[in-house]
Amino acid sequence: MSSDGWTLIEAVKQVAGARWDQWIAAKKQLAALPTVRFRVVSSGISSNNSEAEDLRQRQAGILAQRAPLERRVRTLWNEIWSELRTKMLSGSWTSAGSRGSATSAPAPIYGPGWCQLSVKKLDQSILIERGTKIRIFNVRILPGEIREQAQGAAAGQELVDRPPLHGPFAGWALDEAVERIVGKASNEASMTALTSAIASGHLVPYLADKDGGLSQLLDKGACIEIIAEYFKKCTSRAAENCDLILFPTVCAPNAPDLLSGLSLAHVMSTYVLNDPELLRWAPLAIAAEETMRRFVEQGWYYPIGWHEWRVTVGTFDPEDEFEFGESPIGILMAERSDGDLNVRRTKLVARRRFGCLMKLLSTSKIEARGDPVRSKDDRQILASVWSDNAYYVDADRGYLLVENPNSQDRHDALTLRYRAVLLKKPGSIMSATESHDQGNPSAKSRSGSLRDARAACRAWLMGLMLESPEVKPKPKPAYRQDSRDKWPELTDKHFTKSWEEAVEETDAIAWAKAGRPRGTTKK
């Protein structure tokens, strides 16, 4: 074995042992037999039907000779390939290859990815990915324990770092936040990215005390001043004296306060899929794999197939070297993302944020209310649901679904359980109609993009409709004006779309009727 590992054919021989010679011998015997290029299935190829019958009989004899050898070749190969794949899945062997081109830098082929690989050219060490048809060249296989292979990363780009597996999320020091969100960028670009994320509410600043704990939530203005001072000095020296700790919103100690009053759909869109660390890698992931656009822009967990998120997908297994988990969804993730580190990093960041959100819900640090599909269900969703493998989240609509025990095929595998899920801090007396942004002077800046404004408007309208589904208290133009005050960037067209979606999701038919509400007069 060379220093860079076995070629594909060498690895196959190692696994096969004596079966390799048996497989080669069976292939040679099969190659020596005549072949049937096309089968005669009916008479009429000649004016003499007896000629056609003779040809059919000769073909039947050839096929009868070939059948046992074909079965033997196929059986031997399946045994060999299955054993090789088992070694890759178990981690006893590890592998790497050049994805898409023989000149590409070698990247790790993670164990679960072998479930979707087959041999394209054994003697040239080329594999092919089923479905995408992407080839992996120069495949090399090494025995021994799985280890991270830094040669698979692009220049200056490390492998995905492991998230905390135990205990609460401890936050990022300023230098770590810079590395995660902008990487190796100029001081000006780094400062702009951080201050923008803080101003928009995607990062939450705290001060650390002398014992390493958190002393207080920091005002955004004061935080921006600290960051400006940080970049004026030598970065390494400043980092030693900087007590600033930054949290992604769903991981922050005050996350229940920040998320209370928001819809699940809005939180998924704004704080999971538009997380600043995720957005650093998302464009690169989409460039590497176009289907990732659905994951980033539409919240499809698995871009080809199911798009719902299992509520336990953010739970990391300390025994799982590459954090994909043993669930079917985890295996599917691994199969799709093993070839590109940017794809893998993007999905892992999203899983971390989603996992923090599900932990808040499953530990009752924040509660969820929704519109139940079944009349017997309460609007309050039990905390235990958010740690139950049978439940899934539709990230785009904010629906909660459950596995269907009577499913006939994949199209009815999940059943809708709750629509229009809203989050609420326990013990809060805030009604569903109160916007999370009321009384907050930074609300307009935190609304961010037009997409975020639309999601926030839809959540606000759903809250109003759920509170009064049979009576519309004010005419529609009044709500349109209220929405303009809250989200100036929202156009009439987008408000109308948000209104229609809210009506559909809450089944508040009274809100869909045209005209002024009964009992009101025009001023």
Side-chain angles (χ1 to χ4, degrees), residues 9-10 12-13 16-33 69-70 72-78 80 122-123:
I9 195 170
E10 289 171 340
V12 167
K13 287 180 179 179
R19 288 173 298 182
W20 173 260
D21 292 334
Q22 297 170 12
W23 182 63
I24 292 296
K27 285 187 67 179
K28 287 181 178 179
Q29 293 176 38
L30 187 61
L33 294 177
L69 283 173
E70 288 175 343
R72 179 161 178 74
V73 168
R74 186 166 56 250
T75 299
L76 284 168
W77 176 253
N78 287 344
I80 295 168
L122 183 61
D123 58 338

Side-chain angles (χ1 to χ4, degrees), residues 346-510:
T346 300
K347 289 183 174 180
L348 286 177
V349 172
R351 285 181 65 207
R352 294 177 194 175
R353 305 299 177 264
F354 184 72
C356 287
L357 176 60
M358 293 300 104
K359 186 173 182 180
L360 289 172
L361 288 161
S362 63
T363 56
S364 297
K365 291 183 179 178
I366 196 165
E367 297 174 348
R369 294 169 61 84
D371 178 22
V373 173
R374 302 186 306 182
S375 58
K376 67 178 182 178
D377 288 338
D378 190 74
R379 287 183 59 189
Q380 183 81 26
I381 302 174
L382 294 175
S384 58
V385 162
W386 304 103
S387 58
D388 188 330
N389 275 326
Y391 284 85
Y392 292 77
V393 167
D394 183 322
D396 183 48
R397 294 187 172 187
Y399 288 172
L400 182 66
L401 303 96
V402 68
E403 290 178 354
N404 179 8
N406 301 314
S407 172
Q408 299 298 315
D409 55 42
R410 67 184 183 88
H411 298 291
D412 67 345
L414 300 178
T415 300
L416 181 61
R417 183 59 57 85
Y418 283 93
R419 291 185 292 260
V421 177
L422 296 172
L423 307 183
K424 177 179 176 292
K425 183 180 178 181
S428 171
I429 59 173
M430 181 183 67
S431 71
T433 62
E434 287 183 281
S435 168
H436 175 67
D437 292 332
Q438 283 181 339
N440 188 341
S442 64
K444 292 179 181 178
S445 64
R446 197 173 67 242
S447 64
S449 66
L450 179 59
R451 177 182 174 182
D452 292 345
R454 273 197 58 192
C457 180
R458 181 174 62 178
W460 170 66
L461 289 170
M462 285 192 296
L464 295 168
M465 294 175 186
L466 285 172
E467 188 169 85
S468 179
E470 298 180 0
V471 177
K472 181 173 60 175
K474 297 190 296 185
K476 186 175 180 179
Y479 293 108
R480 181 183 291 114
Q481 184 57 51
D482 289 344
S483 72
R484 288 173 182 161
D485 295 338
K486 295 175 181 296
W487 304 283
E489 66 270 44
L490 202 67
T491 65
D492 287 351
K493 178 180 178 181
H494 290 123
F495 170 80
T496 301
K497 182 65 174 175
S498 298
W499 180 283
E500 292 171 351
E501 290 173 350
V503 169
E504 180 182 352
E505 294 185 10
T506 60
D507 287 332
I509 306 301

Side-chain angles (χ1 to χ4, degrees), residues 34-36 40 45 50-65:
T35 59
V36 175
V40 179
I45 64 169
S50 63
E51 292 181 6
E53 185 60 33
D54 290 342
L55 180 56
R56 280 197 297 273
Q57 290 179 2
R58 287 198 302 272
Q59 287 182 342
I62 293 172
L63 291 172
Q65 280 184 292

